[in-house]
Amino acid sequence: MAFRFVPRVLNQTRGYASQAAVRPPVQLEGIAGKYASAAYVSALKRSDKDLAKVESDLKYFNDILKGQSAEAAKLRTFLNNPTLSGEARSKAVSDILGMQKGGSDALTRNLFEALAENGRLNLSEKVIEGFLQLTSAHRGEVIITITSAKPLDKSITSRLESTLKSSQFATTNGAKSVKFDYKVNASLQGGLSVDLGDRSVDLSVANRVNKLNALLRGMYTLSRLVLTPFRIGAKEAWVTGQTGSSVMQINLVCTTALASYALWLWLPRKAQSSLIWEYVVLVVPLTLACTILAESVYLLLGSMLLVTLGLWASRDANASGASSATTTGRPRWAFLTVYRAYLLILTIYCILAVDFPIFPRIFAKCETFGTSLMDLGVGSFVFSQGTVSLRKHTTSFWTTLKRCAPMLLLGLTRVALVKGTEYPEHVTEYGVHWNFFITMGLLLPVTDYVQLMCPQWHWGVVGIVISLLHEYALRGTSLGAWAISEHRDHSNWLSLNKEGITSLPGYCALAFLGLDMASILFHDTSLWAKQKRMLLRSVLAWSLFSFLSLSSWDVSRRMANLMYVLWCTAFNATFLCGFASLSAWLGADHPPPRLLTQVNRHGLLLFLLANIATGLVNLSMQTMYASTWSSLLILHVYMACVCAWSPTLLGTPRRL
């Protein structure tokens, strides 16, 4: 996107084509750096006077943006609001620049217009910072940044400047002049830190506290009495502010599940009857793909493919599971069982793995916008629940209550336990008193009663209409800005739980789209007809998702917006179709693995046990400091214990 700005600013410098090429004195990184570099080059090609004018414009805007007034805070919120049109944000910036004495330079206006058109006005501060860094380097200035816990007196700053200007700290860079940039960071608690380029001297109280924390980390009693608040803050900081990974990488990791199932279908019959082999083949590859092999998924998938081809080449009609399948169980729904079980396994593994350092941070839940593995897991859980929520007969009130009461009870219990213990919580996921169990507990009666009142409706259309209306509310009203704002009114229950409330319509849309998939599974007679309709929905969802992505629409699990609904629908339709294809081509009339059957049947109970185990592990150790091997050991013991519960439930007549 940054490169769209380059043709715009260069249009004003065509008369200077004969001049020597201008290069930025410092190489800046990131998208903001590209905008800053393009603006610097264009201004300098015109003249040093024009460069100084653009610098003056940006300093004027930066002073307003960083002000402490209520208007400055509103301006920051306004620029960071993705639900407003680029035209509206661009007009506001133009009005501010127009108030400057003498007006603003055309290059300055072009820069902000390009940022607005590309949806990058939220990067304004970083772009201005980068531009000022380039102009300082152009003048041969060295900037020394001094950060303190509170503003410093003039007497202190003058002594600091006098000392630092004559010190080796500043003179070794051959600078023509030295400038000082003073910042305030209350988290330093006292003292100050001095930064010059890649060198830093940290004399803050916070730094001393951190060193003390490291010394006391192994002392359990003191860690409970003194360090617990610091550790909770560190844990919350570790899981917040994530921006996610690419959709392609997430799809590759999840493709491991398809490869594992294909490999299992060609295992010898004796190996298929072993629960240990089921765990090794069906569970372990997916867990490795989510952690230590996340950057080598291609190698993992290639290795599994080679093993599968080897088993296929050496198949024996009397020993190969795929060629001598039995017809026990309900093979007609084998692919649906496998699909739902894998989603549960992935969810159960990730809720604990995310607390360990071997779990890539790009797979953790995104703060506001972005795509990640855990974000996908939440929506997929709702979608998969919809695939088994189709009601052929009237559902009584008590039946519906029995289905949703456990979820609501679990949700309320989790809130009480989190508030009553020292367990870190990330309130921007759902809110202060809300969680995923409450969302699911409210969705179940909605899908039941809508089916009761309107049994002939097309559920796919219902889901899309709900998501479109929800998206309109997010973009066309202040709902979207309210949901993602940092302000939270502690006297207002709705404000405290705005994320959970705002995202509820999006999850409702996903539930109805899951019902649409269920109608395909239950009403179409042949597997081939099911596959065609699932593939059609997959192609439509991916196409619309890709088109909107190119139009700069972002995915937000926090709001469960239209892009999030389309992404989850496209993914689940694709992978459900993939499991159906494997069942049709390799395992026709083959019953699903016993382990996956029981995981699917008792998913809610296993999910509850997994949440309890996750809480116990986090309360008993500092997971974020665990080594690679200890992390792997703990996670596999945890998964083995959860999966071991499945065979013990074989004789259980009822599900939770």
Side-chain angles (χ1 to χ4, degrees):
M1 295 289 185
F3 294 107
R4 295 183 186 177
F5 173 61
V6 177
R8 177 191 295 271
V9 296
L10 291 184
N11 283 338
Q12 303 189 30
T13 60
R14 290 175 182 170
Y16 299 87
S18 61
Q19 297 181 9
V22 177
R23 295 182 180 274
V26 179
Q27 187 68 33
L28 301 181
E29 300 294 335
I31 297 176
K34 294 176 182 177
Y35 279 102
S37 299
Y40 168 85
V41 170
S42 300
L44 186 58
K45 278 187 175 181
R46 292 170 61 177
S47 68
D48 284 341
K49 183 178 179 181
D50 289 312
L51 180 66
K53 175 57 178 170
V54 175
E55 182 182 12
S56 174
D57 294 343
L58 294 181
K59 284 183 177 179
Y60 169 81
F61 186 82
N62 199 41
D63 290 341
I64 297 176
L65 193 61
K66 291 188 175 181
Q68 301 300 319
S69 64
E71 288 74 17
K74 289 181 180 179
L75 176 61
R76 288 191 292 270
T77 303
F78 183 79
L79 294 179
N80 290 318
N81 186 354
T83 62
L84 296 176
S85 66
E87 182 181 356
R89 289 186 283 179
S90 178
K91 184 178 182 302
V93 174
S94 298
D95 291 342
I96 294 173
L97 292 173
M99 294 188 295
Q100 184 182 7
K101 185 177 180 181
S104 59
D105 192 270
L107 277 175
T108 308
R109 295 192 297 271
N110 284 343
L111 171 62
F112 284 104
E113 285 175 7
L115 289 171
E117 289 175 2
N118 298 334
R120 302 292 186 183
L121 273 175
N122 60 315
L123 299 177
S124 296
E125 290 189 51
K126 292 183 179 179
V127 172
I128 294 173
E129 182 180 343
F131 187 91
L132 297 180
Q133 182 182 347
L134 291 173
T135 54
S136 292
H138 173 68
R139 291 190 292 267
E141 296 174 347
V142 169
I143 298 179
I144 298 179
T145 303
I146 301 176
T147 307
S148 57
K150 60 182 181 180
L152 300 176
D153 295 333
K154 287 187 177 180
S155 60
I156 298 176
T157 59
S158 62
R159 280 187 291 169
L160 278 172
E161 292 178 7
S162 175
T163 302
L164 290 173
K165 281 181 179 179
S166 59
S167 69
Q168 187 180 5
F169 194 70
T171 57
T172 53
N173 289 273
K176 297 179 181 178
S177 62
V178 179
K179 294 191 68 175
F180 294 88
D181 181 22
Y182 293 94
K183 296 183 178 181
V184 176
N185 184 356
S187 65
L188 295 183
Q189 303 176 28
L192 51 84
S193 66
V194 181
D195 298 275
L196 172 60
D198 58 351
R199 290 181 292 171
S200 175
V201 177
D202 194 345
L203 304 175
S204 65
V205 173
N207 184 50
R208 298 174 187 175
V209 171
N210 289 334
K211 291 180 179 179
L212 179 62
N213 288 346
L215 292 174
L216 299 179
R217 189 170 294 147
M219 303 176 64
Y220 176 78
T221 303
L222 286 179
S223 68
R224 295 283 295 174
L225 297 177
V226 180
L227 300 181
T228 296
F230 294 101
R231 287 177 173 172
I232 292 177
K235 185 65 172 289
E236 291 175 356
W238 195 49
V239 298
T240 58
Q242 306 302 326
T243 57
S245 62
S246 67
V247 172
M248 178 62 72
Q249 186 172 11
I250 296 169
N251 288 343
L252 279 174
V253 169
C254 295
T255 302
T256 311
L258 291 168
S260 295
Y261 183 52
L263 176 57
W264 181 85
L265 286 172
W266 284 108
L267 281 179
R269 215 170 7 177
K270 185 176 180 181
Q272 286 185 350
S273 63
S274 169
L275 288 174
I276 295 178
W277 271 109
E278 285 191 349
Y279 178 79
V280 170
V281 174
L282 298 173
V283 178
V284 172
L286 185 60
T287 61
L288 295 178
C290 295
T291 51
I292 60 174
L293 296 183
E295 300 297 329
S296 307
V297 179
Y298 287 108
L299 294 177
L300 177 62
L301 291 173
S303 301
M304 296 176 70
L305 178 61
L306 290 176
V307 174
T308 304
L309 291 175
L311 290 172
W312 173 79
S314 60
R315 65 191 184 281
D316 184 347
N318 296 320
S320 174
S323 58
S324 60
T326 62
T327 57
T328 60
R330 291 190 295 172
R332 179 188 175 195
W333 304 110
F335 65 91
L336 180 60
T337 298
V338 173
Y339 155 76
R340 282 174 47 81
Y342 262 122
L343 285 181
L344 280 164
I345 289 172
L346 185 60
T347 302
I348 287 171
Y349 184 72
C350 286
I351 60 174
L352 179 59
V354 69
D355 297 320
F356 287 86
I358 64 169
F359 189 82
R361 293 296 91 198
I362 58 174
F363 289 163
K365 288 180 180 178
C366 299
E367 187 68 19
T368 302
F369 295 101
T371 55
S372 75
L373 185 62
M374 293 197 70
D375 287 333
L376 178 65
V378 175
S380 298
F381 196 97
V382 175
F383 186 94
S384 69
Q385 186 64 33
T387 61
V388 293
S389 297
L390 192 65
R391 298 287 171 258
K392 293 184 178 180
H393 307 289
T394 302
T395 304
S396 68
F397 170 78
W398 292 110
T399 301
T400 301
L401 183 62
K402 281 190 221 178
R403 294 183 68 224
C404 67
M407 284 287 190
L408 292 173
L409 182 61
L410 289 174
L412 296 175
T413 302
R414 189 181 190 281
V415 171
L417 291 175
V418 168
K419 301 300 179 185
T421 61
E422 297 167 343
Y423 194 82
E425 58 177 330
H426 189 187
V427 295
T428 58
E429 285 188 27
Y430 299 101
V432 177
H433 310 107
W434 201 285
N435 54 54
F436 181 64
F437 291 109
I438 296 176
T439 295
M440 287 299 300
L442 295 176
L443 289 179
L444 291 174
V446 170
T447 54
D448 279 0
Y449 284 116
V450 171
Q451 289 183 80
L452 175 63
M453 293 184 292
C454 309
Q456 301 303 318
W457 280 11
H458 193 292
W459 306 121
V461 175
V462 172
I464 292 296
V465 169
I466 292 175
S467 188
L468 288 172
L469 293 175
H470 183 222
E471 185 69 17
Y472 175 77
L474 292 173
R475 288 177 172 267
T477 69
S478 60
L479 179 64
W482 175 71
I484 64 176
S485 66
E486 296 180 0
H487 176 69
R488 206 178 291 271
D489 185 357
H490 291 276
S491 63
N492 188 327
W493 185 86
L494 292 177
S495 179
L496 288 173
N497 301 284
K498 56 186 178 180
E499 291 87 356
I501 296 169
T502 304
S503 62
L504 195 58
Y507 289 120
C508 187
L510 274 172
F512 281 109
L513 288 166
L515 275 178
D516 176 59
M517 193 63 63
S519 66
I520 295 175
L521 300 176
F522 282 88
H523 294 157
D524 286 341
T525 55
S526 68
L527 183 57
W528 172 237
K530 297 184 196 338
Q531 289 176 265
K532 285 196 297 183
R533 295 185 65 185
M534 285 190 289
L535 183 60
L536 176 62
R537 280 155 176 75
S538 171
V539 171
L540 288 175
W542 281 123
S543 299
L544 185 55
F545 175 81
S546 302
F547 173 76
L548 294 178
S549 294
L550 293 174
S551 302
S552 299
W553 287 42
D554 294 318
V555 176
S556 176
R557 185 264 321 151
R558 186 172 176 179
M559 296 184 288
N561 62 358
L562 175 63
M563 285 291 285
Y564 180 71
V565 171
L566 288 174
W567 177 41
C568 292
T569 302
F571 172 86
N572 284 274
T574 301
F575 274 77
L576 189 54
C577 184
F579 283 117
S581 299
L582 286 176
S583 294
W585 298 339
L586 303 179
D589 298 326
H590 199 291
R594 285 187 302 162
L595 177 61
L596 299 187
T597 299
Q598 296 311 313
V599 168
N600 175 55
R601 178 172 176 78
H602 302 287
L604 181 56
L605 179 57
L606 293 176
F607 189 54
L608 171 61
L609 293 173
N611 273 273
I612 295 174
T614 298
L616 292 175
V617 171
N618 276 279
L619 290 174
S620 62
M621 66 175 294
Q622 293 298 313
T623 54
M624 62 185 293
Y625 302 115
S627 66
T628 299
W629 290 110
S630 60
S631 300
L632 282 174
L633 177 61
I634 293 169
L635 288 172
H636 279 290
V637 169
Y638 156 79
M639 280 304 296
C641 290
V642 172
C643 292
W645 269 88
S646 299
T648 64
L649 299 172
L650 282 168
T652 305
R654 297 173 63 87
R655 292 183 288 183
L656 178 61

